[in-house]
C-alpha cells in the first residue's frame, strides 16, 4: 500500500496526501525558480524533514529514559547550489532553554539526532552542519 499519493495541481504546485491520516502537504516552486513560493518548496520539505526527524528520534529515546523534550526547538537554513541546482548544505541549530539533562545525556541525545533516518538517507555530498545550543 502506498504511503503518500501526490498530484500535480498546475501552476508549479503539487499536493501530497498522507494515505493513513489523510493529511495534505502542498509544495510550490520557489520564487527564484519560476514559482509563487506560497508554501514549502520540495527542497524546503527536505530541510524540514531533517530537523523533524532529528527531534523525533531524540524524543523517542528521551522518553525511554524519562526525559521530557518539551521546549526543544530548532532553526534550519537551506543552502542551494546553482549548477547543478540542488541542496548543498543544511544548517540546523538546536536550542533548548533551561535544558534539564546533564552533559552525558545531552551528548547521548545529540548522537541520536545526528544519526536519524533522514540524516543517514541524505547524499554524503549534502553538507549537514548541526549545532546544539543546550
Amino acid at each position: 500500500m502506498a504511503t503518500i499519493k501526490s498530484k500535480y495541481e498546475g501552476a508549479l504546485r503539487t499536493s501530497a496526501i498522507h494515505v493513513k491520516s489523510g493529511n495534505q502537504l502542498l509544495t510550490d516552486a520557489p520564487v527564484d525558480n519560476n514559482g509563487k513560493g506560497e508554501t514549502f518548496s520540495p527542497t524546503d520539505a527536505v530541510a524540514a524533514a531533517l530537523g523533524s526527524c532529528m527531534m523525533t528520534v531524540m524524543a523517542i529515546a528521551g522518553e525511554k529514559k524519562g526525559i521530557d523534550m518539551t521546549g526543544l526547538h530548532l532553526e534550519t537554513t537551506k543552502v542551494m547550489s546553482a549548477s547543478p541546482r540542488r541542496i548543498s548544505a543544511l544548517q540546523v541549530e538546536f536550542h533548548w532553554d533551561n535544558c534539564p539533562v546533564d552533559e552525558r545525556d545531552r551528548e547521548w541525545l545529540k548522537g541520536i539526532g545526528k544519526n536519524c533516518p533522514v540524516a543517514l538517507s541524505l547524499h554524503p555530498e549534502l553538507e549537514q552542519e548541526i549545532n546544539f545550543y543546550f
Side-chain angles (χ1 to χ4, degrees):
M1 176 188 217
T3 303
I4 299 165
K5 293 185 179 181
S6 299
K7 179 170 85 172
Y8 181 67
E9 301 288 348
L12 305 180
R13 174 167 283 181
T14 69
S15 63
I17 303 291
H18 181 254
V19 173
K20 185 174 181 181
S21 68
N23 287 325
Q24 182 179 36
L25 170 71
L26 299 176
T27 68
D28 275 344
V31 174
D32 68 347
N33 200 21
N34 306 311
K36 296 178 185 176
E38 293 175 343
T39 188
F40 286 87
S41 71
T43 54
D44 291 342
V46 171
L50 176 61
S52 294
C53 187
M54 293 178 78
M55 281 196 292
T56 300
V57 297
M58 291 166 71
I60 290 168
E63 282 183 0
K64 292 178 183 177
K65 284 184 113 176
I67 300 170
D68 180 4
M69 305 290 293
T70 302
L72 179 67
H73 59 280
L74 61 83
E75 295 180 3
T76 303
T77 302
K78 176 187 72 173
V79 180
M80 297 292 292
S81 65
S83 185
R85 185 169 174 84
R86 67 178 185 91
I87 304 168
S88 60
L90 292 172
Q91 302 162 340
V92 184
E93 291 190 358
F94 281 86
H95 300 272
W96 194 1
D97 301 330
N98 304 314
C99 176
V101 299
D102 62 27
E103 192 60 35
R104 182 176 175 197
D105 281 340
R106 290 177 194 206
E107 293 306 312
W108 172 73
L109 287 166
K110 292 173 188 180
I112 288 169
K114 288 181 178 180
N115 288 287
C116 79
V118 171
L120 297 177
S121 298
L122 295 172
H123 195 282
E125 288 183 15
L126 192 161
E127 185 177 350
Q128 297 179 44
E129 300 172 26
I130 314 297
N131 292 296
F132 297 90
Y133 300 101
F134 60 82

